[in-house]
Amino acid sequence: MKTIALKKDLKKINSPTMADIVELKLMEFLKKTAFQPGDALPKEMELAEALGVSRNVVREGLSRLKMLGLIESRKRRGMVFVRPDILSSFEKILDPIIMDETTLKDIFELRLVLEMGLGELLYRNKTDKDIAVLEKIAKDQDGIGNTFRIKHELAFHGKLYEIAGNETLKRFQIMLLPIFAYVTEREDKPTQGTVNHADLVEILKHGTKEDFNKGMLEHLKPHFDRLENF
Amino acid sequence: MKTIALKKDLKKINSPTMADIVELKLMEFLKKTAFQPGDALPKEMELAEALGVSRNVVREGLSRLKMLGLIESRKRRGMVFVRPDILSSFEKILDPIIMDETTLKDIFELRLVLEMGLGELLYRNKTDKDIAVLEKIAKDQDGIGNTFRIKHELAFHGKLYEIAGNETLKRFQIMLLPIFAYVTEREDKPTQGTVNHADLVEILKHGTKEDFNKGMLEHLKPHFDRLENF
DNA sequence: TATGTATATATGTTCTACATATTAAAGGTA
DNA sequence: TACCTTTAATATGTAGAACATATATACATA
């Protein structure tokens, strides 16, 4: 017990390196200066001089911002600021890692919460054409294969987000789905409640928003139950 | 119109640099090798030789993984694999950037969807003690100042996520809130519907899940309406 | 056993030099 | 003048060597 308390109170020292500091300073610089996409940053040598470090260190710092998608480098032009893609770094990290169980559960839950919260936007934006497309997707549900089912899930729920009119959200859920699939497949439990995709479409067509929320909850019920045993 | 289509079809060539390739190769390496947190990677010189590049380039690549939180470096020990914090890179990028309007709207909406989807988890996990805490927070609502209101928002909704029992989600919404505040404050519109925090607590105490979902929708109504004019 | 000391080693940092792509200027032609 | 070609300048990309520094390991000491 004592050691645990220690570990919590005295977190690692981790003295920052020059590159860490440069990274921070560059971030500040980007924030302070109101760069427009395409604007050029000072050149590496100038930054190096201003910060009092070698060009190498500056390059390491810049390299990190590049990874975040905040800058791009053009020969002769120098480094230019670009509007970063919010999800790209998230995507990079979500893929390769082995998450701990807690985070895994959190992410699993996150997706459920998103699905459950979608109703309002759907009922605000849906059109007859949307429903028709959704209906078609739901009809092609026959395939049984595992990889196929995932593809189908992606198609159906992806279309839902599309109807909601939120591209970021759609991409987000596409990223989440493999994780979702990983969790659902490691146990041999039903992956669908008593309400299936076709039923959901039917509700979306003729039912109220409240009906839809209830339907979605039924549809996701096995997953919610799965949370108990995590 | 033509230029836009062009820009979409022919995305920049951006010939990858050695550092880009090293970054990729290292990612693959991390994925393939099932590293446990704390395991050491090969040392820089070995990587440099294996990849046929200078140590400098390897360091740039490693530096990027460091930014993602995938590795940490220890003197003499070498670089070690660490379980990355999923949200940290997202956090770094969310803060400094000036988002384009579309993304801003998407994020704004994302938060609304999350709040709306929270009901199920809340009703699964809430305890009397939780409600008591929430009640207290809602009572301290008197402050009018702008910064104070944000703090209060954070406290109340933060507690909701806490009750839901999802730390990732809670941190996520904390990151989202400043953006939310930015949007709400640039127009002079009401930020609260006819249902306030105290009302929500009351529903949570005695009402059904459906009541709560309706209440939350009412509470967020001004924000949903705001979406129309985005 | 516990503590202090020494050494080897991997990362951190700096410098120098050269390669390469691309912009911008110079020059030539109609 | 306007347009095309050539040239030169320049900022990033890459390599390699050298030294600084922290620290894990082994060893010595009490």
Side-chain angles (χ1 to χ4, degrees):
Chain A
M1 288 294 276
K2 230 171 196 171
T3 41
I4 291 176
L6 241 178
K7 216 173 170 187
K8 254 191 111 172
D9 292 348
L10 277 71
K11 42 191 132 190
K12 243 174 309 206
I13 293 228
N14 261 350
S15 60
T17 67
M18 287 288 142
D20 294 328
I21 299 172
V22 168
E23 174 201 325
L24 264 170
K25 294 257 190 189
L26 288 175
M27 280 288 205
E28 275 176 35
F29 181 65
L30 284 187
K31 272 187 255 184
K32 195 154 55 184
T33 319
F35 280 111
Q36 289 302 305
D39 287 356
L41 276 67
K43 44 197 156 196
E44 293 177 354
M45 274 312 292
E46 287 174 5
L47 290 173
E49 261 176 73
L51 294 165
V53 296
S54 79
R55 195 180 146 220
N56 241 325
V57 171
V58 171
R59 281 184 64 79
E60 275 195 37
L62 288 170
S63 194
R64 299 189 190 182
L65 299 207
K66 230 184 272 181
M67 153 115 328
L68 287 185
L70 278 166
I71 58 175
E72 272 175 13
S73 61
R74 312 259 170 80
K75 293 221 159 168
R76 171 70 209 260
R77 261 295 295 290
M79 318 286 297
V80 302
F81 174 78
V82 294
R83 220 194 280 288
D85 176 16
I86 309 210
L87 293 184
S88 72
S89 59
F90 194 74
E91 200 165 13
K92 272 187 181 145
I93 202 180
L94 205 57
D95 166 31
I97 77 172
I98 314 116
M99 281 179 277
D100 60 300
E101 276 295 300
T102 310
T103 308
L104 197 61
K105 184 193 181 197
D106 284 356
I107 296 286
F108 188 83
E109 236 170 35
L110 172 55
R111 199 230 169 185
L112 292 180
V113 170
L114 283 175
E115 299 277 337
M116 288 304 299
L118 212 55
E120 179 65 22
L121 288 183
L122 283 177
Y123 271 79
R124 278 180 178 248
N125 297 343
K126 74 185 162 88
T127 66
D128 291 344
K129 201 179 158 193
D130 287 329
I131 308 247
V133 174
L134 215 48
E135 207 158 21
K136 191 172 180 321
I137 296 176
K139 242 177 216 154
D140 297 346
Q141 197 168 10
D142 318 321
I144 311 284
N146 231 335
T147 54
F148 186 85
R149 192 169 62 231
I150 294 179
K151 239 182 201 164
H152 178 74
E153 276 285 314
L154 199 65
F156 185 82
H157 289 272
K159 178 64 187 174
L160 284 185
Y161 286 99
E162 209 174 300
I163 295 174
N166 191 315
E167 194 57 32
T168 304
L169 209 46
K170 185 182 173 192
R171 281 185 55 206
F172 195 49
Q173 92 112 1
I174 290 178
M175 286 162 45
L176 258 38
L177 207 75
I179 293 167
F180 203 77
Y182 167 72
V183 173
T184 56
E185 275 163 26
R186 63 181 188 181
E187 312 171 45
D188 195 25
K189 288 185 180 173
T191 56
Q192 228 180 210
T194 53
V195 171
N196 64 18
H197 289 165
D199 299 329
L200 282 177
V201 178
E202 195 52 35
I203 299 176
L204 210 50
K205 216 169 171 180
H206 298 118
T208 68
K209 199 168 58 193
E210 287 72 27
D211 294 334
F212 183 80
N213 285 338
K214 267 196 188 127
M216 183 59 93
L217 179 57
E218 258 326 301
H219 178 63
L220 298 174
K221 184 123 196 309
H223 300 315
F224 271 107
D225 293 340
R226 200 186 309 269
L227 291 176
E228 314 291 334
N229 310 334
F230 239 104
Chain B
M1 287 297 275
K2 229 172 196 172
T3 42
I4 292 175
L6 241 179
K7 220 173 172 184
K8 257 190 112 173
D9 293 347
L10 279 70
K11 40 192 131 188
K12 245 169 293 163
I13 293 231
N14 263 351
S15 60
T17 66
M18 288 290 142
D20 294 329
I21 297 172
V22 168
E23 174 202 324
L24 265 170
K25 293 257 189 191
L26 288 175
M27 279 289 204
E28 274 176 35
F29 181 65
L30 284 186
K31 270 186 258 184
K32 194 154 52 185
T33 318
F35 280 112
Q36 289 302 305
D39 288 355
L41 274 69
K43 41 198 161 198
E44 293 177 352
M45 272 314 291
E46 287 174 5
L47 290 172
E49 260 176 72
L51 294 165
V53 295
S54 79
R55 195 178 148 223
N56 244 328
V57 172
V58 170
R59 282 184 62 79
E60 276 194 37
L62 288 169
S63 194
R64 298 189 192 182
L65 300 207
K66 229 183 272 180
M67 150 116 330
L68 288 185
L70 278 166
I71 58 176
E72 273 176 14
S73 61
R74 311 261 168 80
K75 290 221 161 171
R76 170 71 208 258
R77 263 292 298 288
M79 318 289 296
V80 302
F81 175 77
V82 293
R83 220 195 279 288
D85 176 16
I86 309 212
L87 293 183
S88 73
S89 60
F90 194 73
E91 199 165 15
K92 271 187 182 143
I93 203 181
L94 204 57
D95 166 29
I97 75 171
I98 315 117
M99 281 179 276
D100 59 298
E101 276 295 298
T102 310
T103 307
L104 197 62
K105 185 193 180 197
D106 284 355
I107 296 287
F108 188 84
E109 237 170 32
L110 172 56
R111 198 230 169 186
L112 292 179
V113 171
L114 283 175
E115 299 277 336
M116 289 304 298
L118 212 56
E120 179 65 22
L121 288 182
L122 283 177
Y123 271 77
R124 278 177 178 251
N125 297 344
K126 75 187 163 87
T127 67
D128 291 345
K129 202 178 155 195
D130 286 330
I131 307 245
V133 174
L134 214 49
E135 207 157 21
K136 192 172 176 319
I137 295 175
K139 239 175 217 154
D140 298 344
Q141 196 168 12
D142 318 322
I144 310 285
N146 233 333
T147 56
F148 184 85
R149 191 170 62 228
I150 293 178
K151 239 182 198 160
H152 177 75
E153 277 284 314
L154 201 63
F156 185 82
H157 288 271
K159 179 65 188 169
L160 284 185
Y161 286 99
E162 209 173 300
I163 296 174
N166 193 313
E167 194 57 32
T168 305
L169 209 46
K170 185 182 173 191
R171 281 185 55 208
F172 195 50
Q173 92 113 0
I174 291 178
M175 287 162 42
L176 257 39
L177 207 77
I179 292 168
F180 202 79
Y182 166 72
V183 172
T184 56
E185 275 162 26
R186 64 180 186 182
E187 310 171 46
D188 196 24
K189 287 187 180 171
T191 56
Q192 228 179 211
T194 53
V195 172
N196 64 18
H197 288 164
D199 300 328
L200 281 177
V201 177
E202 196 52 34
I203 299 176
L204 211 50
K205 216 170 173 177
H206 299 117
T208 68
K209 198 168 59 189
E210 285 71 27
D211 293 335
F212 182 80
N213 285 338
K214 268 197 189 127
M216 183 57 95
L217 179 58
E218 258 325 301
H219 178 63
L220 297 174
K221 182 118 199 313
H223 300 314
F224 272 106
D225 292 339
R226 201 186 309 270
L227 291 176
E228 315 289 335
N229 310 333
F230 240 103

